[in-house]
């Protein structure tokens, strides 16, 4: 034959599109963003308070998003909790608003936020004219809020600052803003500007002295005006004059310890149409300003997960230090192995290894055996360091989630278009075959990820449908485990430990590295608990399998009795929450079911929501296999499961079932009632989907390779999202590329998927070492793991 045809650049590019190269690209991107954010911190500093007060943007619903950090929405209860906490530790919550009438409106909005109408709070407030001083006091909270009128930087205003700097306990927070007395007349001349600059310069020293005493001093820039609705008093003021005054503030106070509040001006500029009399901030702008002040004052004390602005990074623990030290040793050994291999190659000594074994992880460039557990742990070390950097430090930025119909449904639409585009024939014809279940897990997981990214949980119909998807995963788990036990009869300890390891490896590592309780990753405890229940139920005598039931038809009765017993136990636990708590708060397994606050209610909520789902899956599997055995249908070919009449009837019933649940979710108004009914009827839409997906032979034997690929790493995707795609323990969104929200989501999603795929590979590599096929060695390793957990348990109060 002639010489081989040259491969085109397009064909060569397609050949290079694989998981290995994608991970290499993801690694380079992570390194690039580390350098980029390092330069940002060097240039602009790492103080998120500065970000909060200096920059931000509006989202589609006029919600304010600070630059690079998350804004907690303080309610009256949250605010009082903050002040009460600080008062408990002896702090005097003393706020001072000093400035013109615009500052007065901000003061009044702060008081309104605290709801002083409650007589039990022992609050008092003066009711003098608009140019007089005001005061609000709440003795229970040790809270005092003052407004001091000052329409210019005069001797009176400077004397106030000098007085405060000599006080033993100066105000905790001072918010100031003013121009000069003749500002309303307009025509800001150079002489007036120089006079303002000179007077403002005299403020620098007392401000610096106050900040050295731990007071927070904020100078609020002057807001623009709305010329279309301005009143006669302000009609001569021009926005150009306001900008000149604000520039003077930057020039003078920019070198002081005062914080210049420019984000308030940006908020006002975006809400000019809501101004009162053309120059006073509207209600929404004032609410945003109050939230910014409260986030700046309270976040570092309250540690809300969704409030990272002005919040210090979480301190590390001894367990985290030890964990990362051990992982670091593995990384050092792996580097030494790679260096040794390079040196041997440099000396001309050939090192042979199987062609199929090439590195694909974060050290993918290393010509070493990727199946080595040391290299796998080294790769895991690099990944866990990235996890820590993303979610336990303030190195990378974080932003609040944003929900809109557009932001939720457009990505869902894109995902399903891609899923339908990448379809092909499967080599399997069985109902719920491997390709189909991977596909189902894949699209469910992608929709769940979009749901968490957009924060759509407050939309009840969407919330309930997402609960169906999570229940569907548990339903498939029950179906799959029962099918495996039924067909193989394998109830060995090795198989049990294999499943437990694959489900829990990443979660346990994250618990140690990220300082979170096991229950924090709630889905894994659910999967593991119910798998243990399934294993126990099917392992206790009499053991029923497909083979044993062929020899004795009474075996089916044992299966029914086991299901009845399981449902009875679940119902008894559900009917008595006290009994439930006594079981699950028993030491030492209590640590598996409680949160950081030693609270069992989160586990109770998750458990009762899907208390019957696994059993539904097993019952469906039992009915399915018995019906298959007696030839009620035939799924060994590419044809339809049933006759035409039965197929049409089943299809109609499935559509009605799915429609029933969807309609009910839209009409259900109470979340608790919805969840209670959900527990009993969730199998209807799940079984309905399975019927629609499998009745037709054409649909049953085709699947989406796109969804199936994601389905194979669905568990890793669900767990990793907590820290490297979302942020602040899934309360916000990770920001690697600030200023470009859509592009940032694409970049973080790419890295997130690559990391999840790599962790899935590492779990597969480590599985035979952690759980050998010899049951004695497997038990030995399990015993070693328990021994290691004992000191950790004692440190966490497990024993």
């Amino acid at each position: 034959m002639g010489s081989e045809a040259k491969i085109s650049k397009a064909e060569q590019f397609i050949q290079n599109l694989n998981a290995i190269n994608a991970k290499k690209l993801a690694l380079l991107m992570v390194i690039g963003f580390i350098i980029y954010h390092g330069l940002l911190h060097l240039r602009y500093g790492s103080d998120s308070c500065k970000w909060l007060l200096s920059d931000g943007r509006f989202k589609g619903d006029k919600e304010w998003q600070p630059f690079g950090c998350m804004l907690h929405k303080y309610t009256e209860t949250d605010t009082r909790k903050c002040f009460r906490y600080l008062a408990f530790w002896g702090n005097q919550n003393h706020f001072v608003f000093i400035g013109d009438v615009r500052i007065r409106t901000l003061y009044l909005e702060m008081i309104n936020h605290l709801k002083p109408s409650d007589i039990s709070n022992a609050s008092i407030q003066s009711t003098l004219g608009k140019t007089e001083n005001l005061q609000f006091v709440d003795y229970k909270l040790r809270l005092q809020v003052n407004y001091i009128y000052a329409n210019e930087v005069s001797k009176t205003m400077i004397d106030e600052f000098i007085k405060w700097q000599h006080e033993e306990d100066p105000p905790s927070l001072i918010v100031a803003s003013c121009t000069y007395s003749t500002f309303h007349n307009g025509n800001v001349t150079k002489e007036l500007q120089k006079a303002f600059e000179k007077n403002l310069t005299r403020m620098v020293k007392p401000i610096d002295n106050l900040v050295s005493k731990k007071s927070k001093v904020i100078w609020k820039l002057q807001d623009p005006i709305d010329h279309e609705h301005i009143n006669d008093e302000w009609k001569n003021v021009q926005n150009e004059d306001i900008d000149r005054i604000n520039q003077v503030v930057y020039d003078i106070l920019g070198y002081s310890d005062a914080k210049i509040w420019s984000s308030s001006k940006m908020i006002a500029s975006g809400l000019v149409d809501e101004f009162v009399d053309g120059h006073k901030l509207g209600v929404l702008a004032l609410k945003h300003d109050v939230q910014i002040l409260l986030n700046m004052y309270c976040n570092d004390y309250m540690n809300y997960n969704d409030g990272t602005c002005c919040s210090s990074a979480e301190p590390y623990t001894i367990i985290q230090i030890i964990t990362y030290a051990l992982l670091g040793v593995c990384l050092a050994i792996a580097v030494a192995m790679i260096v040794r291999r390079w040196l041997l190659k440099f000396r001309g000594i050939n090192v042979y290894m199987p062609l199929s074994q090439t590195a694909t992880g974060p050290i993918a460039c290393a010509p070493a055996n990727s199946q080595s557990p040391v290299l796998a742990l080294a790769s895991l070390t690099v990944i866990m360091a990235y996890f820590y950097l993303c979610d336990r430090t303030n190195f990378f930025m974080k932003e609040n989630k944003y929900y809109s119909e557009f932001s939720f449904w457009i990505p869902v639409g894109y995902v399903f278009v891609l899923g339908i585009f990448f379809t092909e024939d499967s080599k399997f014809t069985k109902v719920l075959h491997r390709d189909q279940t991977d596909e189902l897990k894949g699209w469910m997981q992608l929709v769940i990820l979009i749901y968490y990214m957009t924060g759509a949980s407050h939309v009840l119909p969407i919330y309930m449908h997402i609960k169906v998807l999570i229940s569907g995963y548990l339903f498939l788990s029950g179906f799959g485990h029962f099918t495996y036990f039924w067909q193989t009869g394998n109830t060995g300890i090795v198989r049990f430990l294999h499943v437990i390891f694959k489900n829990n490896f990443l979660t346990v590592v994250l618990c140690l590295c990220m300082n979170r309780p096991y229950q924090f990753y709630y889905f894994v405890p659910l999967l593991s608990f119910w798998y243990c229940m399934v294993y126990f139920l099917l392992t206790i005598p009499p053991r029923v399998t497909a083979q044993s039931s062929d020899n004795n038809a009474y075996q089916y009765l044992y299966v029914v009795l086991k299901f009845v017993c399981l449902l009875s136990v679940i119902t008894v636990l559900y009917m008595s929450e006290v009994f439930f708590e006594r079981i699950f708060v028993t030491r030492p397994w209590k640590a598996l079911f409680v949160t950081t606050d030693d609270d069992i209610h989160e586990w109770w909520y998750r458990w009762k929501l899907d208390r019957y789902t696994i059993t539904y899956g097993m019952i469906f599997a039992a009915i399915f296999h018995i019906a298959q055995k007696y030839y009620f249908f035939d799924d060994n070919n590419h044809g339809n499961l049933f006759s035409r009449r039965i197929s049409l009837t089943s299809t109609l019933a499935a559509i009605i079932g799915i429609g029933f649940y969807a309609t009910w979710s839209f009409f259900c108004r109470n979340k608790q009632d919805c969840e209670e009914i959900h527990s009993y009827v969730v199998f209807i839409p799940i079984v309905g989907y399975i019927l629609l997906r499998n009745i037709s032979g054409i649909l049953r034997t085709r699947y989406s390779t796109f969804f199936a690929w994601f389905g194979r790493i669905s568990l890793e995707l669900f767990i990793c999202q907590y820290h490297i795609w979302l942020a602040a323990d899934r309360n916000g969104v990770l920001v690697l590329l600030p200023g470009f929200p859509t592009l940032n989501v694409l970049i973080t999603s790419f890295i997130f998927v690559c990391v999840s795929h790599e962790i899935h590979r590492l779990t597969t590599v480590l599985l035979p070492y952690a759980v050998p096929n010899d049951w004695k060695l497997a038990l030995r390793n399990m015993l070693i793991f328990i021994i290691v957990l004992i000191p950790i348990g004692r440190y966490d109060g497990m024993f």
Side-chain angles (χ1 to χ4, degrees):
M1 298 181 64
S3 60
E4 295 182 0
K6 292 184 178 180
I7 300 176
S8 66
K9 291 183 178 181
E11 291 174 331
Q12 186 177 4
F13 176 76
I14 293 174
Q15 288 179 358
N16 290 328
L17 287 177
N18 53 55
I20 296 175
N21 290 331
K23 293 174 191 175
K24 291 179 180 178
L25 177 60
L27 177 62
L28 292 176
M29 292 175 71
V30 168
I31 294 173
F33 281 114
I34 290 175
I35 296 173
Y36 171 67
H37 281 265
L39 294 175
L40 285 181
H41 288 307
L42 287 175
R43 176 65 179 84
Y44 301 106
S46 57
D47 184 8
S48 58
C49 271
K50 185 177 180 180
W51 303 347
L52 172 68
L53 296 173
S54 63
D55 199 1
R57 71 180 192 276
F58 277 107
K59 295 182 177 179
D61 54 357
K62 292 189 177 180
E63 284 297 316
W64 181 249
Q65 172 59 63
F67 176 78
C69 64
M70 295 168 58
L71 200 67
H72 176 72
K73 189 173 183 179
Y74 277 87
T75 62
E76 177 197 357
T77 302
D78 290 342
T79 306
R80 291 188 174 278
K81 187 184 297 182
C82 167
F83 293 156
R84 190 176 295 111
Y85 173 82
L86 292 173
F88 176 80
W89 291 105
N91 292 355
Q92 177 69 37
N93 299 307
H94 186 189
F95 296 176
V96 175
F97 293 83
I98 181 169
D100 53 24
V101 291
R102 286 175 154 186
I103 284 290
R104 184 179 187 275
T105 60
L106 181 58
Y107 161 84
L108 294 175
E109 181 60 31
M110 172 68 83
I111 303 306
N112 181 61
H113 175 78
L114 294 171
K115 301 293 188 300
S117 58
D118 186 355
I119 299 176
S120 64
N121 288 327
S123 305
I124 58 174
Q125 180 179 359
S126 62
T127 56
L128 301 177
K130 71 176 185 179
T131 60
E132 298 296 334
N133 298 343
L134 303 173
Q135 179 177 261
F136 169 83
V137 177
D138 190 319
Y139 299 109
K140 290 184 178 180
L141 302 179
R142 296 188 67 184
L143 173 65
Q144 178 181 342
V145 187
N146 294 99
Y147 166 69
I148 301 174
Y149 177 75
N151 66 343
E152 63 179 339
V153 185
S154 61
K155 183 178 183 302
T156 303
M157 186 176 188
I158 296 172
D159 288 344
E160 288 286 350
F161 276 82
I162 294 175
K163 180 188 70 173
W164 290 329
Q165 73 173 338
H166 291 102
E167 291 180 358
E168 183 178 346
D169 192 10
S172 309
L173 174 64
I174 302 171
V175 181
S177 179
C178 61
T179 52
Y180 48 85
S181 58
T182 60
F183 180 71
H184 296 169
N185 298 331
N187 189 23
V188 179
T189 63
K190 289 184 178 180
E191 289 74 16
L192 287 174
Q193 186 173 328
K194 288 182 178 179
F196 179 73
E197 181 177 338
K198 182 179 179 180
N199 290 336
L200 195 61
T201 303
R202 298 172 61 192
M203 297 281 293
V204 173
K205 185 176 180 180
I207 287 176
D208 290 347
N209 290 335
L210 280 169
V211 173
S212 66
K213 289 190 171 185
K214 307 303 181 183
S215 293
K216 294 180 173 64
V217 181
I218 297 175
W219 190 277
K220 183 179 180 297
L221 295 183
Q222 286 291 311
D223 301 320
I225 61 173
D226 181 11
H227 284 289
E228 294 182 4
H229 304 93
I230 196 68
N231 59 11
D232 293 337
E233 184 181 2
W234 286 69
K235 65 181 180 180
N236 293 325
V237 178
Q238 301 296 319
N239 283 323
E240 293 77 8
D241 295 337
I242 294 176
D243 291 338
R244 291 166 62 186
I245 294 297
N246 287 335
Q247 186 58 49
V248 171
V249 174
Y250 274 119
D251 294 340
I252 303 301
L253 297 185
Y255 298 97
S256 72
D257 291 331
K259 297 180 183 296
I260 299 176
W261 189 4
S262 57
S263 61
S264 174
K265 179 177 178 292
M266 299 175 68
I267 293 172
S269 299
L271 298 172
V272 170
D273 56 336
E274 298 183 8
F275 275 20
V276 178
D277 296 333
H279 70 281
K280 293 181 181 179
L281 294 180
V283 174
L284 184 57
L286 289 171
K287 288 184 181 297
H288 288 326
D289 286 351
V290 168
Q291 289 295 327
I292 288 175
L293 291 176
L294 292 174
N295 274 262
M296 187 203 64
Y297 187 75
C298 291
N299 278 359
D300 204 25
Y301 302 104
M302 302 309 295
N303 294 322
Y304 288 112
N305 287 329
D306 62 342
T308 61
C309 297
C310 302
S311 182
S312 303
E314 180 180 304
Y316 48 79
T317 64
I318 295 177
I319 292 178
Q320 286 176 289
I321 295 174
I322 296 174
T323 302
Y324 278 103
L326 293 175
L327 290 174
V329 170
C330 295
L331 180 61
I333 295 173
V335 171
M337 292 170 58
I338 295 170
V339 171
R340 175 180 175 276
R341 189 176 293 273
W342 281 347
L343 290 175
L344 291 176
K345 185 177 180 180
F346 178 76
R347 295 173 183 174
I349 303 174
N350 293 324
V351 179
Y352 297 97
M353 70 179 201
L355 293 176
S356 61
Q357 297 178 355
T358 55
T360 60
I363 50 176
C365 57
N369 183 357
S370 67
Q371 303 301 316
S372 166
V374 175
L375 290 180
L377 289 173
S379 183
L380 182 67
T381 303
V382 176
I383 292 173
M384 288 299 109
Y386 177 63
F387 270 74
Y388 190 91
L389 193 65
C390 287
D391 212 28
R392 288 296 169 268
T393 69
N394 293 327
F395 186 79
F396 290 133
M397 300 175 182
K398 305 170 180 66
E399 289 187 355
N400 296 93
K401 297 178 182 180
Y402 167 65
Y403 171 79
S404 70
E405 299 291 337
F406 179 86
S407 66
F408 178 79
W409 290 109
I410 292 298
V412 170
Y414 282 154
V415 162
F416 276 95
V417 168
L418 288 172
I420 294 172
F421 182 79
F422 293 100
T423 58
E424 63 181 41
D425 290 327
S426 174
K427 62 181 179 180
F428 305 109
T429 63
K430 296 287 187 180
V431 173
L432 288 177
H433 54 74
R434 178 63 181 272
D435 291 335
Q436 189 182 125
T437 54
D438 285 342
E439 174 202 84
L440 178 55
K441 291 177 181 178
W443 74 255
M444 288 194 305
Q445 184 59 62
L446 291 176
V447 173
I448 291 172
L449 290 175
I450 295 171
Y451 165 81
Y452 283 127
M453 165 64 79
T454 57
S457 58
H458 66 277
V459 182
L460 189 56
I462 296 178
Y463 172 83
M464 293 309 302
H465 282 84
I466 294 299
K467 292 304 176 186
V468 173
L469 300 187
I470 295 175
S471 298
Y473 201 110
L474 293 170
F475 185 95
L476 288 179
S477 179
F479 177 90
H481 292 317
F482 182 90
T483 298
Y484 179 83
F485 284 123
W486 179 264
Q487 293 177 344
T488 66
N490 181 4
T491 57
I493 189 66
V494 173
R495 158 72 182 179
F496 172 80
L497 293 178
H498 271 182
V499 175
I500 292 296
F501 179 84
K502 287 192 290 185
N503 285 347
N504 290 271
F505 170 68
L506 175 58
T507 301
V508 171
V509 172
L510 286 176
C511 287
L512 297 175
C513 290
M514 305 299 286
N515 189 31
R516 286 297 176 267
Y518 181 65
Q519 189 57 222
F520 177 75
Y521 308 93
Y522 74 91
F523 191 65
V524 173
L526 273 178
L527 277 178
S528 302
F529 171 79
W530 287 116
Y531 175 69
C532 292
M533 294 295 291
V534 171
Y535 179 82
F536 176 76
L537 181 74
L538 300 180
T539 301
I540 58 173
R543 298 179 183 176
V544 183
T545 63
Q547 184 177 0
S548 66
S549 63
D550 288 339
N551 301 326
N552 183 3
Y554 286 105
Q555 293 277 316
Y556 298 129
L557 179 61
Y558 297 142
V559 175
V560 174
L561 290 175
K562 286 187 176 185
F563 286 153
V564 170
C565 290
L566 179 59
L567 291 172
S568 300
V569 171
I570 293 171
T571 303
V572 169
L573 288 174
Y574 170 69
M575 293 176 65
S576 176
E577 186 175 353
V578 175
F579 181 52
F580 178 91
E581 291 184 6
R582 286 186 177 180
I583 292 177
F584 288 103
V585 298
T586 302
R587 299 176 187 274
W589 57 74
K590 169 187 175 181
L592 301 177
F593 303 106
V594 297
T595 61
T596 308
D597 300 327
D598 207 32
D599 187 8
I600 194 70
H601 289 92
E602 182 69 19
W603 169 245
W604 163 252
Y605 167 75
R606 302 289 182 183
W607 179 89
K608 73 175 182 178
L609 189 61
D610 283 302
R611 59 187 181 275
Y612 297 123
T613 307
I614 286 279
T615 311
Y616 291 152
M618 291 194 292
I619 293 174
F620 178 80
I623 295 173
F624 168 79
H625 290 299
I626 293 172
Q628 186 182 50
K629 175 182 177 180
Y630 290 101
Y631 303 104
F632 284 95
F633 62 87
D634 183 11
D635 60 354
N636 292 314
N637 52 62
H638 290 75
N640 296 339
L641 289 182
F642 309 112
S643 65
R644 183 179 180 85
R645 178 178 297 178
I646 298 178
S647 295
L648 290 174
T649 304
S650 300
T651 301
L652 180 61
I655 293 174
I656 292 174
I658 296 174
F660 159 76
Y661 188 91
T663 304
W664 165 77
S665 68
F666 276 96
F667 283 97
C668 185
R669 298 302 179 189
N670 185 282
K671 184 177 179 180
Q672 293 181 343
D673 293 340
C674 290
E675 291 176 339
E676 184 57 35
I677 298 174
H678 166 90
S679 304
Y680 296 103
V681 302
V682 66
F683 70 92
I684 296 176
I686 297 174
V687 174
Y689 173 84
I690 293 173
L691 287 175
L692 291 177
R693 188 68 178 80
N694 289 276
I695 288 177
S696 170
I698 297 176
L699 292 177
R700 190 174 69 253
T701 56
R702 285 192 68 83
Y703 76 107
S704 169
T705 54
F706 177 80
F707 288 144
W709 189 88
F710 284 98
R712 296 183 192 103
I713 60 172
S714 58
L715 186 62
E716 287 78 12
L717 289 171
F718 192 92
I719 301 170
C720 290
Q721 63 160 324
Y722 280 76
H723 305 295
I724 61 169
W725 189 54
L726 303 178
D729 294 336
R730 210 173 64 178
N731 288 281
V733 178
L734 180 67
V735 177
L736 297 180
L737 186 63
F740 302 91
T742 303
L743 184 57
N744 176 72
V745 170
L746 294 176
I747 291 172
T748 56
S749 299
F750 174 73
I751 297 173
F752 158 61
V753 171
C754 289
V755 170
S756 299
H757 188 275
E758 177 65 8
I759 291 177
H760 179 78
R761 187 192 70 83
L762 296 178
T763 305
T764 305
V765 170
L766 295 172
L767 176 61
Y769 297 96
V771 187
N773 289 327
D774 188 335
W775 67 270
K776 294 180 181 178
L777 297 177
L779 287 178
R780 179 205 62 188
N781 290 354
M782 185 179 72
L783 181 61
I784 293 174
F785 176 71
I786 293 174
I787 292 174
V788 170
L789 280 183
I790 291 176
I792 298 176
R794 288 186 61 86
Y795 177 82
D796 283 340
M798 185 185 299
F799 302 104

